[in-house]
Amino acid sequence: MNLNAYGYGPADARQWIIVDIGVTFGREDQLPGVDLILPDPSYLADLRESILGIVLTHAHEDHIGALAWLWPRLKAPVYATPFTAALVREKLRERGLLEKVPLTIIPLKGELTLGPFDIEFVTMTHSIPEPNGLAIRTPLGMVWHTGDWKIDPDPLIGETTDEATLRAMADEGILAMVCDSTNVFVEGATGSEGDVREKLTELIVGCRGRVAVTAFASNVARIETALHAARASGRTPCLVGRSMHRIVAAARGVGLLQDIPQLIDEEEAGALPADNVLYLCTGSQGEPRAALSRIARNDHRHVTLREGDTVIFSSRVIPGNETAIHTLYNQFIERGVHLITADEEHFIHVSGHPARDELKQMYQWARPRIAIPVHGERRHILEHVRLAQSLQVPEAVAPNNGDIIRLAPGSAALIDEVPSGRLLVDGSVLLESDDDALRDRKRLAAEGAVNVALALSAKSSIAAGPTVSVRGLAMDDESEFELALEELEQAAKGAFGKLSHADREDDELVEVNLMRAVRKAAEKLWRKRPLVDVTVLRL
Ligand SMILES: [Zn+2]
Ligand SMILES: [Zn+2]
């Protein structure tokens, strides 16, 4: 989840640009029902008048995914290169914002001036088309914001890292480098998409039966590799999953993926001999609704894999997804489907982020005065600081979310901490992360719920009920369950009986007392603390 802001000017008249505005994905076990987590933009929303623009480095979700959600609170013009803009436009369209958001397309290696910021887009290599670093020049010096990057000598799509420009920037003098920390613990270099193409092609040519390759849809070079491997192995490729179609269309729209074999739809692919098909599927992380999970469960309308077929995971296991992915593995293996993963084969996947040798190379090229590691957990950021220090970078800062760091004039210093946090996308609604609704939902998921209904006469005596129903709680058998319900009803009745006549006039008092009594009874029955709701009706 990336959102960086750069400010220039005195505190009372500071002008800002925002670089990237991404999301992270919810974990079902932690926040049931929450798919997306966004940075809380409240601090910047209050400064809205002085935000000159939102500049996007590349189209990964952790860099653009929050734009359509948060734009209404920021309302600044948006700048992106063509491929990124194509995917952003789709997101804006989905949320009915396409006509409202001023989106300017900047060509690769283009420039943009926003107030005191002169911004130059610098071509990098990564795992998606059009990764850009930003050289942000101000009257007080240049910030080199790397974006996500690696050094890929053979990226297959797009140019190699623009080393000449980086060296020229260093000669001009880089005040601060804000740099990707993802793979700071990985020794050596990341490896190239070119290596992956060679390896995957060799593997696929050697396969018999149907082959399904799964990869991140946004890695267009990898998609192209799978399509070329299909051609080399006499297979017709078929895309499976919405985001595969979406990304391929966006890529073709900006002139990529022009030399690819004819694609066929799932139904046609099903009719081909097994040795002549290559499926390219979404769902490498075991996402339950994605194509690969449905195929693994044998629950896909048109795609079936059988004994002797092969699934190739051209992807890595993102921490947190192990269980979901291992479930997929088990489902396939159970059916005799052969699996090939990055665990046993080298170069069927490479990362998009710089390993240590690449980071060292970048520091040699850029020679910044200040290192500011971003894009990683705390341990990555701190290790990156140590690396920068070992490379004789004069200053290194380890920013926390919400820190405001002065880069100039003078030496780098933390000058303020502003509110930062997370917003949660819950269906179509944005929630604060401490919203009661989520607390209740976690409790419902873990403890179940009890409902009590009671009808009172005008004189506050019981006219009907109390009636109790429960959700998400069970007993060994039906008669025990009936007994449990009766016990809860008795508890409610007992609590009501203890109330004075005056108290019975007060709905809220009645509700609270019944709730407490029923919860206590439920705890005794189930050793759980269900959510208890009491409804009082007055006749
Ligand atoms: Zn990223
Ligand atoms: Zn990225």
Side-chain angles (χ1 to χ4, degrees):
M1 177 165 78
N2 296 277
L3 190 165
N4 291 94
Y6 295 97
Y8 184 87
D12 56 346
R14 202 166 281 157
Q15 292 180 294
W16 295 87
I17 55 169
I18 292 175
V19 175
D20 291 340
I21 183 160
V23 293
T24 185
F25 294 93
R27 287 268 304 275
E28 194 63 30
D29 49 342
Q30 290 162 0
L31 301 163
V34 171
D35 297 323
L36 282 182
I37 301 172
L38 319 178
D40 184 343
S42 308
Y43 176 75
L44 290 165
D46 290 343
L47 304 170
R48 189 159 85 196
E49 302 301 320
S50 48
I51 298 173
L52 304 171
I54 300 169
V55 186
L56 304 173
T57 60
H58 68 291
H60 274 147
E61 288 294 325
D62 60 326
H63 296 259
I64 66 166
L67 179 73
W69 289 97
L70 300 183
W71 188 86
R73 302 187 187 196
L74 300 167
K75 294 211 167 74
V78 180
Y79 303 89
T81 54
F83 178 73
T84 306
L87 292 175
V88 163
R89 242 186 267 118
E90 236 178 276
K91 287 178 178 296
L92 295 174
R93 189 180 295 123
E94 276 170 20
R95 294 201 59 76
L97 289 169
L98 191 57
E99 307 302 324
K100 296 199 180 105
V101 177
L103 172 59
T104 304
I105 296 180
I106 306 291
L108 291 172
K109 302 190 178 185
E111 286 173 27
L112 166 70
T113 298
L114 297 172
F117 304 97
D118 276 320
I119 303 164
E120 179 184 353
F121 286 66
V122 180
T123 295
M124 305 292 284
T125 52
H126 183 37
S127 44
I128 192 167
E130 298 181 5
N132 299 288
L134 303 175
I136 305 168
R137 293 176 174 89
T138 74
L140 284 175
M142 186 206 306
V143 175
W144 166 226
H145 180 103
T146 64
D148 291 4
W149 63 279
K150 67 193 268 189
I151 299 172
D152 192 333
D154 187 14
L156 303 177
I157 282 182
E159 293 183 21
T160 53
T161 311
D162 190 351
E163 183 185 334
T165 296
L166 285 171
R167 287 181 185 279
M169 282 160 48
D171 290 341
E172 186 185 333
I174 293 176
L175 171 65
M177 178 162 90
V178 177
C179 183
D180 185 347
S181 311
T182 313
N183 281 346
V184 69
F185 288 108
V186 179
E187 294 294 338
T190 303
S192 168
E193 284 296 330
D195 299 331
V196 176
R197 178 158 300 179
E198 216 171 281
K199 182 71 187 188
L200 266 185
T201 305
E202 177 196 314
L203 277 172
I204 291 169
V205 165
C207 284
R208 293 286 155 267
R210 289 173 194 79
V211 174
V213 176
T214 183
F216 294 115
S218 56
N219 191 333
V220 175
R222 198 71 58 82
I223 292 178
E224 191 187 72
T225 289
L227 299 176
H228 283 204
R231 184 186 273 153
S233 59
R235 294 170 182 274
T236 307
C238 169
L239 306 180
V240 193
R242 207 170 72 97
S243 48
M244 280 293 170
H245 289 279
R246 194 170 53 90
I247 297 277
V248 167
R252 291 180 62 87
V254 296
L256 303 173
L257 296 181
Q258 298 302 307
D259 172 33
I260 56 170
Q262 178 73 38
L263 297 164
I264 51 170
D265 68 30
E266 295 161 5
E267 228 171 327
E268 293 172 284
L272 284 178
D275 286 344
N276 298 131
V277 191
L278 183 132
Y279 293 110
L280 190 45
C281 306
T282 57
S284 68
Q285 298 306 305
E287 304 91 324
R289 282 168 295 186
L292 200 63
S293 282
R294 283 186 285 137
I295 297 168
R297 293 194 300 266
N298 222 352
D299 184 24
H300 196 283
R301 213 139 61 98
H302 299 296
V303 183
T304 310
L305 295 181
R306 303 184 182 85
E307 191 168 353
D309 294 341
T310 302
V311 179
I312 300 175
F313 285 78
S314 181
S315 57
R316 75 181 180 109
V317 176
I318 292 180
N321 297 338
E322 292 85 351
T323 313
I325 294 172
H326 292 162
T327 301
L328 274 187
Y329 290 175
N330 289 326
Q331 287 166 327
F332 281 125
I333 289 167
E334 183 80 41
R335 294 223 306 278
V337 173
H338 183 47
L339 295 185
I340 303 177
T341 73
D343 288 339
E344 60 263 10
E345 289 283 356
H346 289 298
F347 292 119
I348 63 172
H349 175 69
V350 290
S351 169
H353 299 276
R356 285 179 90 86
D357 285 355
E358 292 155 274
L359 286 166
K360 288 177 193 164
Q361 176 69 75
M362 178 58 77
Y363 278 99
Q364 277 164 22
W365 281 336
R367 307 192 308 272
R369 202 187 85 202
I370 309 164
I372 304 180
V374 295
H375 208 291
E377 298 164 22
R378 200 65 194 147
R379 63 197 176 96
H380 297 97
I381 306 279
L382 294 174
E383 177 64 17
H384 191 162
V385 164
R386 281 190 285 276
L387 178 70
Q389 285 163 343
S390 78
L391 298 169
Q392 275 72 51
V393 178
E395 297 179 56
V397 182
N400 278 299
N401 288 337
D403 285 356
I404 296 197
I405 296 160
R406 186 193 63 211
L407 301 175
S411 51
L414 177 66
I415 55 169
D416 201 0
E417 287 168 58
V418 302
S420 69
R422 318 175 121 202
L423 292 178
L424 310 173
V425 178
D426 188 42
S428 60
V429 178
L430 278 186
L431 298 178
E432 309 267 339
S433 51
D434 59 353
D435 197 287
D436 286 351
L438 284 167
R439 203 199 50 207
D440 280 358
R441 192 179 307 160
K442 276 190 229 173
R443 180 127 173 221
L444 283 169
E447 311 286 332
V450 177
N451 282 288
V452 183
L454 179 67
L456 297 178
S457 70
K459 289 178 178 167
S460 290
S461 59
I462 293 181
T467 313
V468 171
S469 60
V470 304
R471 286 278 176 177
L473 289 163
M475 279 287 175
D476 287 347
D477 62 51
E478 200 145 326
S479 63
E480 251 182 273
F481 188 68
E482 292 300 325
L483 281 173
L485 290 186
E486 260 170 52
E487 225 165 287
L488 296 178
E489 283 172 7
Q490 286 307 324
K493 209 178 246 173
F496 185 78
K498 284 186 198 151
L499 292 174
S500 69
H501 277 284
D503 287 351
R504 289 179 190 182
E505 302 283 327
D506 182 340
D507 283 7
E508 221 167 291
L509 256 180
V510 174
E511 284 170 14
V512 167
N513 278 282
L514 266 61
M515 189 265 283
R516 288 199 186 123
V518 169
R519 181 181 293 160
K520 210 166 152 197
E523 263 190 89
K524 235 165 130 188
L525 285 163
W526 283 286
R527 289 203 199 152
K528 295 179 82 73
R529 287 174 61 78
L531 208 66
V532 179
D533 267 325
V534 179
T535 312
V536 175
L537 291 167
R538 296 274 172 184
L539 301 180

